[in-house]
Amino acid sequence: MKRVVILISGRGSNMQAILEAKLPVEITAVISNRPEAKGLEIAAQHGIQTVVVDHRKHPSRGQFDAALAEKIDSFQPDLVVLAGFMRILTEDFVNRYQGRLINIHPALLPAFPGLDTHEKALQEGVRIHGCTVHFVTPTVDHGPIISQAAVPVLPSDTPDTLAARVLEQEHLIYPEAIRWFAEGRLHLEQNRVEMNILQASTYSLRSPWSA
Ligand code: NHR
Ligand code: GAR
């Protein structure tokens, strides 16, 4: 079975969805850059080894990333999963895990990279928003896309209600993408992901939709 290490910074709901999806992978560790991350307790409850690499204890990004990489490598993972991990990673770190480092971003990339994506989506007045699973490259939130899920933006939305609607989709598409990786169905070709899956539906989401 493929070995997976999950990196978190906070609540850990995506991590939890991955743990509860009972994927055919071995989750060997959950690592947080914040000792107070709630997700650490959830991981421990699932019997998963937890580790803290506190970024505040390292004087530079490079030194933090080196300490993080050393910890990760001690678990010999085939895949490293960023699940609400909130530290930008250096080029050296990203290159070390090329093709085996993935992230979920709460927007339909390439729209709204970076932080506060739901605020930005409401500000722009987009009618459709969502989330993206992608391979990580040194350019933040710009790596080859594996999958996306879209949701409507409603006139009554606040950043919180929109975030909740997107999060529900994150919990569906992230475990699924990891399953595809584990099954060897994802292949990086240039800067795109070729997928060996059957895709049957041509369903469209329109927003607004007036009944
Ligand atoms: N690193 C690289 N090189 N490439 C990516 O695509 C990355 C990455 C690290 C994290 C997740 C990303 C997201 O999905 C991610 C993708 C944090 C920030 C950020 O600005 C930006 C994007 C993402 C995660 N972080 C601040 C920093 O200075 C700290 C913010 C905080 O601690 O709350 O690192 O959105
Ligand atoms: C998720 O919405 C995730 O997409 C986002 O933070 C939330 C983490 O929630 N990630 C980023 O914004 C990365 N910069 P979780 O800890 O409950 O999975």
Side-chain angles (χ1 to χ4, degrees), residues 71-93:
K71 262 300 166 203
I72 292 171
D73 289 349
S74 74
F75 296 101
Q76 300 186 301
D78 301 293
L79 179 66
V80 178
V81 172
L82 305 184
F85 183 73
M86 299 307 291
R87 300 298 299 174
I88 290 176
L89 298 161
T90 55
E91 182 158 5
D92 281 353
F93 181 98

Side-chain angles (χ1 to χ4, degrees), residues 175-194:
E176 179 179 58
I178 294 166
R179 181 188 298 279
W180 289 331
F181 183 94
E183 292 173 349
R185 295 180 188 275
L186 306 181
H187 297 282
L188 271 172
E189 303 284 342
Q190 318 276 40
N191 286 323
R192 296 210 308 220
V193 180
E194 299 289 332

Side-chain angles (χ1 to χ4, degrees), residues 61-163:
R61 277 186 196 267
Q63 279 161 296
F64 166 67
D65 281 11
L68 184 60
E70 192 178 315
K71 262 300 166 203
I72 292 171
D73 289 349
S74 74
F75 296 101
Q76 300 186 301
D78 301 293
L79 179 66
V80 178
V81 172
L82 305 184
F85 183 73
M86 299 307 291
R87 300 298 299 174
I88 290 176
L89 298 161
T90 55
E91 182 158 5
D92 281 353
F93 181 98
V94 171
N95 288 338
R96 181 190 192 100
Y97 299 103
Q98 198 187 7
R100 54 192 182 107
L101 177 60
I102 63 176
N103 177 46
I104 189 155
H105 180 73
L108 291 173
L109 292 174
F112 312 128
L115 305 175
D116 304 321
T117 55
H118 310 301
E119 282 89 339
K120 288 174 186 163
L122 289 174
Q123 197 86 51
E124 284 298 329
V126 297
R127 299 299 192 242
I128 295 177
H129 184 46
C131 50
T132 302
V133 178
H134 66 97
F135 282 103
V136 173
T137 59
T139 311
V140 177
D141 296 329
H142 202 268
I145 291 172
I146 298 167
S147 65
Q148 297 184 303
V151 300
V153 179
L154 305 180
S156 58
D157 270 330
T158 64
D160 283 352
T161 61
L162 185 54

Side-chain angles (χ1 to χ4, degrees), residues 2-15:
K2 290 244 159 64
R3 297 168 62 83
V4 176
V5 167
I6 304 178
L7 304 190
I8 63 169
S9 297
R11 179 178 57 187
S13 73
N14 275 292
M15 174 209 73

Side-chain angles (χ1 to χ4, degrees), residues 21-80:
K22 303 274 174 232
L23 301 172
V25 301
E26 194 179 336
I27 313 282
T28 51
V30 168
I31 303 178
S32 173
N33 65 304
R34 293 186 178 275
E36 70 277 14
K38 280 277 164 231
L40 289 171
E41 293 160 34
I42 301 169
Q45 282 161 12
H46 281 77
I48 312 262
Q49 185 171 343
T50 62
V51 178
V52 173
V53 182
D54 190 339
H55 65 275
R56 288 163 299 193
K57 296 202 167 138
H58 297 273
S60 71
R61 277 186 196 267
Q63 279 161 296
F64 166 67
D65 281 11
L68 184 60
E70 192 178 315
K71 262 300 166 203
I72 292 171
D73 289 349
S74 74
F75 296 101
Q76 300 186 301
D78 301 293
L79 179 66
V80 178

